[in-house]
Amino acid sequence: MRPPPTVTITRRRLISAGLAAGSVASLYGVRRALSQASGPFALPPLPYPEDALAPVISSTTIGFHYGKHHRAYVDNLNKAIEGTDLTSKSLEDIVKATAGDPARIAVFNNAAQDWNHTFYWNSMRPNGGGTPTGVIADRIKDSFGDYAKFRQEFVTAAVTQFGSGWAWLAQDQDKKLKVMKTPNADTPMARGLTCLLTCDVWEHAYYLDYQNRRPDYVNAWLDKLVNWDFAARQLA
């Protein structure tokens, strides 16, 4: 991973520690700022090199997806909140404060997409995938019956999401795990659920590598990339 530029250490720099610890509370409960930021938020570093997920996801896809699309959401968010009372809020608080507000849809879209993408990068790891073990495996069995049923439900959600969106493994207020799909920038986090994993099914996430074969991308994502350790940490 490319080392970040040297800047003055503030609480906003805690994002790097958050990525290392894998804690979503650390990732989203503090502000992010690198030296190139033009506002209170900056593009967070990837948790691995751009070519680390190949051949499942190529470095070309990551370069465009992370370096262009995600960066644009961050830049647009900074512009959208400039001069407002939102500049002092955390990213998660901005998403929750603007969800469902037609007057602030541009802020929500860019804030939620920034949040979703950072969560997506951490939902994957090199040499990941496969059947989970430990506490997350037990919770999946309790909620779905077995891993095979969860997997089928997750793939169905990801493949049948019409147009752009996301497939999620989340925990509801009753501590039950559930699979969800959301359109565009929508996120279960805005509804008070605890997100455990997400798979991005916007076309820019997979089209350079899989063209229109979304099922192939989703199956490869589950079999070879999904980061079960990250999901388990969210339960804590």
Side-chain angles (χ1 to χ4, degrees), residues 49-64:
E50 288 189 2
D51 61 354
L53 305 182
V56 182
I57 300 178
S58 68
S59 60
T60 302
T61 290
I62 296 293
F64 279 101

Side-chain angles (χ1 to χ4, degrees), residues 174-195:
D174 296 324
K175 306 299 182 182
K176 184 177 179 63
L177 304 193
K178 59 192 302 183
V179 167
M180 303 176 65
K181 57 182 178 179
T182 60
N184 301 318
D186 195 11
T187 171
M189 180 270 288
R191 310 173 198 175
L193 279 73
T194 300
C195 298

Side-chain angles (χ1 to χ4, degrees), residues 75-124:
D75 291 345
N76 290 335
L77 173 61
N78 283 327
K79 294 175 184 176
I81 65 174
E82 186 176 2
T84 73
D85 62 341
L86 298 175
T87 57
S88 62
K89 293 184 179 294
S90 71
L91 185 59
E92 184 170 332
D93 286 343
I94 292 174
V95 173
K96 291 178 177 179
T98 58
D101 184 349
R104 297 194 286 185
I105 187 65
V107 175
F108 173 79
N109 282 341
N110 286 288
Q113 283 292 82
D114 183 10
W115 196 96
N116 291 351
H117 277 84
T118 303
F119 202 90
Y120 171 66
W121 305 130
N122 284 274
S123 292
M124 303 181 287

Side-chain angles (χ1 to χ4, degrees), residues 19-170:
L19 282 166
S23 167
V24 171
S26 296
L27 285 172
Y28 304 107
V30 298
R31 311 292 284 165
R32 299 179 310 188
L34 303 180
S35 63
Q36 73 269 27
S38 58
F41 295 100
L43 188 68
L46 282 173
Y48 34 71
E50 288 189 2
D51 61 354
L53 305 182
V56 182
I57 300 178
S58 68
S59 60
T60 302
T61 290
I62 296 293
F64 279 101
H65 193 178
Y66 169 74
K68 301 294 185 181
H69 290 274
H70 191 174
R71 182 181 296 278
Y73 294 127
V74 175
D75 291 345
N76 290 335
L77 173 61
N78 283 327
K79 294 175 184 176
I81 65 174
E82 186 176 2
T84 73
D85 62 341
L86 298 175
T87 57
S88 62
K89 293 184 179 294
S90 71
L91 185 59
E92 184 170 332
D93 286 343
I94 292 174
V95 173
K96 291 178 177 179
T98 58
D101 184 349
R104 297 194 286 185
I105 187 65
V107 175
F108 173 79
N109 282 341
N110 286 288
Q113 283 292 82
D114 183 10
W115 196 96
N116 291 351
H117 277 84
T118 303
F119 202 90
Y120 171 66
W121 305 130
N122 284 274
S123 292
M124 303 181 287
R125 68 175 180 85
N127 302 311
T131 305
T133 58
V135 63
I136 190 69
D138 294 339
R139 296 294 303 281
I140 285 174
K141 183 178 180 180
D142 291 343
S143 297
F144 299 96
D146 57 30
Y147 174 74
K149 291 178 181 177
F150 154 75
R151 193 184 190 288
Q152 181 180 19
E153 192 170 332
F154 191 92
V155 170
T156 298
V159 171
T160 60
Q161 169 55 42
F162 183 76
S164 300
W166 305 81
W168 302 85
L169 175 62

Side-chain angles (χ1 to χ4, degrees), residues 214-236:
R214 186 191 289 186
D216 291 350
Y217 157 68
V218 174
N219 280 290
W221 189 89
L222 280 169
D223 290 340
K224 299 178 180 179
L225 294 183
V226 64
N227 188 348
W228 289 116
D229 291 339
F230 177 73
R233 287 194 294 269
Q234 310 323 307
L235 289 173

